[in-house]
Each structure stands twice: as C-alpha cells, then as structure tokens.
C-alpha cells in the first residue's frame, strides 16, 4: 500500500489547521511570558502604524510567539503524519 | 411532511425522521447564524453599512447572531446526533420518534419566536441569557425536557450491558442544561440585581459553554471517530476521567469571567484554579481521540468526516490552553474585555465544537438517509471555506484583542484604538463571510444528497462508499 500521508497531501491541512493550533498555544505562552517580564514603553503600544509587531511590546511579542508556535506545531505534526503514513503503508502495527 | 408525522402514530413514522429534521434544521440555522455574523462584522468593518434602522442596529443583531448559532445550529446539531447516536449505542430504536419530531417542531417555533423578540429589542438584557423568561420556559419545558425524556428512555431501554461514554455525556448534559437554564435565569424570574445578577449571568454563560457546548461536542467525537475509523475507542476509562473531571471542575468556575468585579476574592481565586483544571479533561479527551486514530491517520486527509472531526479535536488543544490560562489574574488583566475573548469564544463554538458537529451531521444524514454524499468536491470546498475563514477570523481577532489590551493598559485614546483595529475588523468580516459561504454550499450539498444522492446498498455504510465511483 502506498504512503497516503506525503507532504503534498498533508500540506494544506498542516499549514492551516495545525498552524492555527500552534498559534493558539503560542498566544497563551506569549501572554504569560509578557505578564511575567513586563512590557515596552508607551510609544510602542502596538497600534496600527505604531510598530504593531515590535517584539519588545506585549502584543508584538505575542504575535511573534504565535507565529513561532504555529510553525513549530505544523512541523511537528508534519513529521508525525509522515511517520504515521510510513507505518500505515507497511500495513503493520508493530512499530507503534 | 413534518406536520403529517406530528399527528401520526409512533409506529407509522419512519425511523430516523427526527434525525433528518433536526439535521436540516441545524444546517439552516448555521446558515442564518453565520449570515447574521457576517452582517454584524460588516457593521464593525464599514461603519456606514446599514445605519438609521433600529432593527438592524448592532446591539439588536448581535444577540440574534449569538443565540441563533448556540440554540439553532449547535444545539440542534446536538439534538440530531442524540436522535441517531443514542439508539445506535444502545443497540435499540429511538424511544419515541414522534416525541423527537415534536421536539424539532417546538425548538424551531420557540427559537424563531425568541429571536424575533430579540430582534425587536425585547430582551432580558443579560449577555447569553438574553431571551425573556417565557421563552426560557419554552426552552426548558418545551425543548430540553422532551429531548431529555427521549434520550434517557432510549438509554433505559438499551440492549447493551454498559452505557457508552457518549451516552453518559448526552444524558447528563441535557439534565445539567435544564438546571443551568432554571438557575441561571433566576435574576429575571426573581428580580435579583447587582453582583448577584452579574454572577448568575456568567454562571449561566459559563455553564452553557462548559456543560453543554464543549462536552457534548466531545461526546460526539467519541462516537464518530471509532465509527469512521473502525478502531475501538482507545480507552473508555479515560473517557470516564474526562466526564467526571468536567462534572467536578467545570461546573463552578463562573466567576473567572468576572475577575475585575468586586466579588469575594476567595471565590475568584477558587474559580481561577478550577479554570486551570480544565486541562485535565481536555488532555484526556484529545489524547483519547488521537490515540484512537492509530493506524488510520490517512483518513485525516482522505475522509471528509474524519477531516472535520480531527480538525475539531486539534482546535480543542489551543482552546483549552487559552481557556485555562487566560482566566488567571495575570493574563485576564490584559485581555479582559478585548477582541481576544471574542476570538476565544469563536475558537470554542466555531472552531472545536462546530467542526465536530459538522462531521456528525455529515455522517448522520448520509447514514439515516441511506444516500451517498451528492458531491465530495462541494464537501471539501465547505471544509476549506470553513477552516480558512475561521483561521482568518480567529487570528485577526486575537491580534486585535492584543492591540485593544495595549490600548487599555497604556490608556491610549479610544479613537486611536478604533483606528488601529480597523484592518483587523475587515479581516474578521472577510473570514466570517467565508464561513457563511461554505455553509450555504453545505446546505445545498446536503439538500441534493437527500434528493439525488446515490442510494447506499444494504450492509454498507455511506462513508465507506465516499470514494467509490
């Protein structure tokens, strides 16, 4: 049986569903860290046109953490799916 | 046809009729609810859109949107799944098909009436428990009680020894929701005011989500994933851990919605700890389902119902991570009252919950109608409109919420925050409209499935044939 979980077949599910899942976890991590370590100065409050993605601000840091966690979760899920695909294509369950 | 069966003898009503009427009602309300959501989002993105008419004011339309999706789409999808899963899991028939049809009828009539009244501005004035008390009584005694009687009696008449975890949730959650409606609406019934009113309002709001929407959605996954994959549930005992952890930890943290209110400090601390403990049932549920997928992961990309289900389960991870921690004092200080919370609420209802229900409605309607899905392409199109639209919505609202939080903490002039929010409001509208468009496609696809879908031969399941031409 051929591998049905190649990157080509899983790519869009990973880039949308898995990425969003990671972003959710990143939002919590980012918010928790920023609450613990503090925030940037007034000028960098994060409004539109005011360095919204400046990683020294509360919102900027969380935005970046969302992206990092999203990417990480997509990669982890992609590797896991690829491994699952290999095992399922061999048709044996002994590798679990 | 519904009217004909309402007055027919129970034995003369074809099995599955209640499931079909519930299923189509739920999709219809999903289209209505997301359409209203799109309309409301347009008002935030484009402030000049439909102004000057009180009926279409945001304050009126918002309540109609929220209750159309909660009591229309989500709860009727739950009703639909209860009508076919409860008997299937007890190896028996639904206790009363006729009572099921009367429940659908009462539900549609009561909800339509309630939403029209809200639209006209006749409201209880409390978030989530917006319906006025006569409509609350219709919901409790005209909808939930008959639904409960049907589910409890079907479980009582089961021909299996044990009660599968899905039915534990179904039976318990209907009972809990009735209590939530009775107690949560007591401020209006008994004219309670002040902090008591605030606390009970969010006791209601919290428990509708925590004891109805998320646990019943999870219960559905306990049925659909083993059924679709052919694998037994990884652990029924972990399922019980999930069930009892919900009962123990998630019926009490209502005051974590009111961390800034002058409620007793011990109550807020207690609620906050209970809120973090949601991670126990959440991890139990997600791990149980993902381990049940063993050896069948290819179905995640090949089978439309599995794709919907597993996406819902994945979204349960950030949902509970956010839910568990955003209500702690440190984070709540920043995100309370911002778009972050709106994003989180949609992650629960439109993300985790709706994806699981959509899978169950797809599966249930095909199974009961004994017809193959009319178009797999349209179903995939629905999935991608739904997930991409949801992601755009959730990401834009989360970022918008962080900017609002910054504006709040730094005491930035309100109008500057409004200007900063504007691009995210447009993104929110675009994402929500994609979800709405996907649902219109879904309604058409299921309607055509009922009319023209290939008939499934005896002894086969509709979902087994999805890829056979």
């Amino acid at each position: 049986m051929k591998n049905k979980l190649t990157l080509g077949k899983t790519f869009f599910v990973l880039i949308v569903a898995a990425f969003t899942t990671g972003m959710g976890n990143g939002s919590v991590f980012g918010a928790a860290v920023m609450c613990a370590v503090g925030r940037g100065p007034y000028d960098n409050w994060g409004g539109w046109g005011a360095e919204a993605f400046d990683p020294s601000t509360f919102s900027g840091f969380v935005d970046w953490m969302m992206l990092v966690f999203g990417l990480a979760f997509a990669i982890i899920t992609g590797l896991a799916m690829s491994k699952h695909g290999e095992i399922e294509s061999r048709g044996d369950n002994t590798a679990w | 046809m519904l009217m004909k069966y309402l007055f027919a003898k129970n034995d003369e009503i074809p099995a599955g009729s209640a499931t079909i009427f519930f299923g189509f009602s739920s999709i219809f309300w999903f289209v209505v609810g997301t359409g209203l959501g799109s309309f409301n989002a347009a008002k935030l993105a484009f402030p000049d859109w439909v102004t000057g008419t009180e009926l279409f004011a945001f304050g009126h339309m918002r309540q109609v949107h929220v209750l159309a999706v909660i009591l229309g789409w989500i709860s009727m999808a739950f009703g639909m799944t209860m009508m076919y899963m409860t008997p299937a899991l007890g190896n028996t028939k639904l206790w009363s098909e006729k009572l099921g049809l009367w429940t659908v009828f009462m539900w549609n009539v009561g909800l339509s009436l309630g939403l029209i009244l809200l639209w006209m501005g006749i409201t209880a004035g409390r978030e989530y428990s917006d319906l006025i008390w006569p409509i609350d009584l219709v919901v409790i005694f005209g909808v939930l009680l008959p639904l409960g009687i049907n589910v409890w009696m079907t479980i009582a008449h089961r021909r299996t020894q044990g009660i599968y975890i899905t039915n534990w949730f179904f039976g318990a959650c209907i009972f809990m929701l009735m209590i939530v409606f009775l107690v949560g609406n007591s401020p209006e019934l008994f004219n309670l005011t002040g902090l008591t009113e605030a606390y009970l309002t969010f006791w209601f709001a919290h428990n509708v989500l925590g004891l109805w929407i998320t646990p019943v959605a999870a219960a559905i996954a306990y049925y659909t994933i083993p059924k679709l994959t052919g694998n037994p549930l990884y652990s029924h005992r972990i399922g019980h851990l999930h069930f009892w952890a919900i009962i123990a930890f998630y019926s009490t943290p209502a005051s974590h919605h009111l961390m800034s209110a002058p409620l007793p400090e011990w109550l807020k601390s207690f609620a906050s700890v209970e809120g973090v403990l949601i991670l126990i049932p959440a991890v139990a549920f997600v791990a149980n389902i993902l381990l049940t997928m063993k050896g069948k992961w290819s179905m995640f990309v090949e089978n439309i119902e599995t794709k919907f289900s597993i996406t819902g389960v994945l979204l349960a991870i950030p949902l509970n991570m956010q839910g568990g921690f955003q209500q702690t004092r440190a984070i709540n200080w920043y995100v309370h009252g911002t778009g972050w919370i709106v994003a989180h609420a949609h992650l629960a209802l439109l993300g985790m919950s709706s994806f699981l229900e959509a899978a169950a409605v797809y599966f249930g309607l095909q199974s009961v109608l004994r017809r193959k899905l009319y178009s797999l392409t349209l179903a995939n199109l629905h999935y991608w409109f739904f997930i991409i639209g949801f992601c755009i919505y959730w990401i834009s609202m989360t970022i918008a919420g962080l900017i609002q939080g910054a504006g709040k903490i730094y005491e930035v002039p309100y109008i500057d925050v409004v200007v900063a929010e504007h691009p995210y409001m447009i993104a929110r509208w675009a994402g929500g409209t994609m979800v709405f468009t996907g649902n219109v496609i879904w309604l058409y696809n299921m309607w055509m499935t009922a009319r023209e879908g290939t008939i499934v031969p005896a002894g086969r399941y509709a979902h087994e044939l999805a890829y056979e031409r």
Side-chain angles (χ1 to χ4, degrees), chain B residues 26-340:
Chain B
S26 70
I27 304 174
F28 168 76
W29 283 110
F30 201 12
V31 171
V32 171
T34 48
L36 288 166
S38 171
F39 179 86
N40 292 350
K43 289 177 84 73
L44 297 174
F46 315 108
D48 295 331
W49 162 257
V50 189
T51 53
T53 309
E54 195 181 327
L55 275 182
F56 298 110
F58 184 83
H60 285 237
M61 300 295 282
R62 180 191 172 278
Q63 303 170 49
V64 185
H65 158 68
V66 169
L67 289 168
V69 289
I70 291 179
L71 293 178
W73 153 238
I74 292 174
S75 297
M76 289 187 95
F78 287 166
M80 183 258 194
T81 57
M82 288 169 186
M83 293 296 108
Y84 80 89
M85 288 182 189
T86 311
L89 290 167
N91 194 19
T92 184
K93 289 195 306 181
L94 184 66
W95 184 67
S96 171
E97 204 69 52
K98 188 171 177 174
L99 184 61
L101 288 172
W102 270 100
T103 312
V104 185
F105 177 72
M106 287 297 293
W107 204 318
N108 279 306
V109 170
L111 182 62
S112 302
L113 189 61
L115 296 184
I116 289 168
L117 290 174
L118 286 182
W119 200 9
M120 292 164 61
I122 301 171
T123 164
R126 291 190 310 278
E127 192 177 2
Y128 289 102
S129 42
D130 307 85
L131 295 171
I132 56 172
W133 67 266
I135 302 292
D136 292 330
L137 295 181
V138 172
V139 173
I140 297 164
F141 297 108
V143 171
L144 297 176
L145 186 62
L147 180 72
I149 289 172
N150 225 349
V151 168
W152 300 325
M153 292 305 286
T154 304
I155 294 173
H157 285 85
R158 72 189 183 280
R159 293 190 294 181
T160 54
Q161 192 178 11
I163 300 175
Y164 185 68
I165 190 65
T166 299
N167 278 347
W168 276 74
F169 274 105
F170 283 176
C173 289
I174 299 171
F175 173 73
M176 291 190 291
L177 188 64
M178 288 175 68
I179 302 295
V180 167
F181 256 85
L182 276 170
V183 178
N185 284 300
S186 57
E188 194 182 8
L189 296 170
F190 302 109
N191 289 326
L192 306 175
T193 56
L195 270 180
T196 314
E197 181 183 15
Y199 182 70
L200 280 168
T201 300
F202 274 87
W203 189 83
F204 176 92
H206 174 85
N207 287 339
V208 166
L209 292 157
L211 298 180
W212 177 246
I213 293 173
T214 46
V216 179
I220 288 171
Y222 282 130
Y223 177 87
T224 45
I225 290 297
K227 190 77 181 173
L228 291 163
T229 59
N231 286 345
L233 182 66
Y234 176 74
S235 168
H236 202 250
R237 186 165 292 186
I238 294 177
H240 279 205
L241 172 69
H242 174 197
F243 178 84
W244 287 111
I246 289 279
I247 302 295
F249 303 141
Y250 225 52
S251 53
T252 45
S255 59
H256 72 203
H257 295 261
L258 298 163
M259 294 300 273
S260 307
L263 285 165
E265 287 303 312
W266 68 265
L267 183 63
K268 289 191 280 187
S269 297
F270 173 76
S272 195
V273 172
E274 293 272 275
V276 175
L277 290 174
I278 187 62
L279 289 171
I280 295 174
V283 171
F285 164 65
V286 172
N288 211 358
I289 296 294
L290 296 187
L291 287 164
T292 303
M293 285 294 289
K294 179 178 168 182
K296 296 291 170 65
W297 274 98
S298 57
M299 293 182 78
F300 181 33
V301 291
E302 286 200 330
N303 178 280
I304 189 70
E305 292 90 352
T306 310
K307 199 184 280 183
F308 269 103
S309 283
I310 293 299
T311 303
V313 174
L314 287 179
L315 293 176
I317 302 170
L319 168 68
N320 290 290
M321 289 297 288
Q322 280 197 334
F325 290 105
Q326 73 187 24
Q327 48 85 48
T328 57
R329 288 168 195 263
I331 300 182
N332 198 257
W333 160 79
Y334 202 91
V335 299
H336 184 78
T338 72
W340 169 297

Side-chain angles (χ1 to χ4, degrees), chain A:
Chain A
M1 198 165 67
K2 65 174 183 171
N3 187 344
K4 295 176 180 173
L5 292 172
T6 57
L7 187 62
K9 286 192 172 181
T10 58
F11 181 76
F12 287 107
V13 175
L14 295 175
I15 211 68
V16 182
F19 207 101
T20 311
T21 301
M23 288 179 91
N25 296 334
S27 70
V28 177
F29 176 82
V33 168
M34 284 317 275
C35 284
V37 303
R39 56 185 192 269
Y42 175 84
D43 290 346
N44 295 331
W45 71 279
W48 186 249
E51 302 182 50
F53 299 98
D54 181 342
S56 72
T57 66
F58 192 104
S59 50
F61 181 79
V62 184
D63 294 341
W64 277 105
M65 281 302 105
M66 285 167 72
L67 291 172
V68 170
F69 271 68
L71 188 63
F73 199 85
I75 291 170
I76 292 166
T77 313
L79 291 171
M81 295 284 276
S82 163
K83 185 72 181 166
H84 277 288
E86 276 176 36
I87 297 167
E88 286 174 20
S89 67
R90 288 204 302 268
D92 80 276
N93 274 342
T94 53
W96 301 98

